[in-house]
Amino acid sequence: MKNKLASIFNPELSNFSLDARSLSLFRIALGLVVLFDIMTFLPHIDIFYSNEGILPTYSYRYRHWYDASLHALSGARAAQIILFVIHGIAAVALTLGVFPRPAVILNLVLLLSVHHRIPAVLNGGDHLLGLLLFWSIFLPLDADFTLFKKKNAVQKIPEQVLGLSTFAFC
C-alpha cells in the first residue's frame, strides 16, 4: 500500500510521468509530422482548397462557429499558398524549438482550418494529429534541444513531468 501511494505522489515512480528530454524529442518529431502533413496537402491545393476545385468557397457552409476555416475566407490559389507557407513556418518553428507553445497553438489553429475546409478527405490520423497538438499546448516541450536558449533566465524544468496533461497525453 505504501508503494502505491508513493508512486502516485512521486513523479519519478508514476506511470504517467514523462521525461522532459523525451518531450523535446517528441516536439521535433511532431513538427516533422506536421511538415509532412502539409507536404501531402500541397499538391492538392487546386482540387480541395481553391474556387476551381470540388468545394468552392461560395458553396462552403459551416453549421457552428467552431467549424469555421481560415482556408474558406478566400478561394484564390495565392491565398491558400500563403496560408500553407505560414503553416510550414510554424511547423519549422515547432521543430527547431523557437517559441514552442505559440508554434503549437498556431499549428493547431491552421491544422483545424485545413480539416474544417473539406472534412471529407480526413482520416483517423488527421484527428490524432490534432489531439497531439492540442495536448502539446500544456506540456513543457522546450526543456532541451531548442535552437535558441534563454541566456540569462534559468529555466528549471524537472527531469520528470507529471500532471493532468501528461495523464491525458499518455
Side-chain angles (χ1 to χ4, degrees):
M1 180 71 176
K2 186 176 180 181
N3 288 339
K4 286 188 177 188
L5 285 176
S7 69
I8 291 172
F9 296 109
N10 188 354
E12 294 178 3
L13 299 176
S14 175
N15 292 335
F16 298 107
S17 66
L18 298 173
D19 186 66
R21 294 166 300 190
S22 65
L23 286 174
S24 297
L25 289 174
F26 167 75
R27 183 203 73 233
I28 294 169
L30 184 64
L32 292 174
V33 168
V34 171
L35 272 174
F36 179 76
D37 191 46
I38 294 167
M39 293 300 174
T40 59
F41 283 121
L42 278 180
H44 308 291
I45 284 180
D46 292 330
I47 298 170
F48 294 127
Y49 301 104
S50 72
N51 282 339
E52 290 80 29
I54 59 173
L55 186 62
T57 55
Y58 55 82
S59 66
Y60 176 78
R61 301 284 184 263
Y62 56 92
R63 297 175 297 186
H64 307 289
W65 64 269
Y66 52 83
D67 286 337
S69 173
L70 294 172
H71 289 271
L73 294 177
S74 174
R77 186 174 199 273
Q80 300 303 319
I81 290 174
I82 289 171
L83 282 172
F84 277 107
V85 166
I86 292 171
H87 198 174
I89 291 170
V92 169
L94 178 64
T95 304
L96 297 177
V98 180
F99 303 113
R101 186 154 294 144
V104 168
I105 292 170
L106 185 59
N107 274 303
L108 179 63
V109 167
L110 290 171
L111 182 79
L112 291 177
S113 174
V114 168
H115 289 179
H116 291 162
R117 175 65 173 97
I118 185 156
V121 298
L122 302 178
N123 60 27
D126 295 316
H127 299 295
L128 179 63
L129 183 59
L131 284 172
L132 288 174
L133 283 169
F134 174 74
W135 286 110
S136 295
I137 294 171
F138 308 106
L139 295 173
L141 298 178
D142 57 349
D144 212 354
F145 311 121
T146 59
L147 189 62
F148 302 110
K149 290 220 182 224
K150 296 176 183 174
K151 294 179 182 176
N152 296 334
V154 177
Q155 188 176 13
K156 184 67 178 164
I157 296 176
E159 285 187 24
Q160 298 290 321
V161 179
L162 178 64
L164 178 62
S165 59
T166 60
F167 176 76
F169 190 75
C170 289

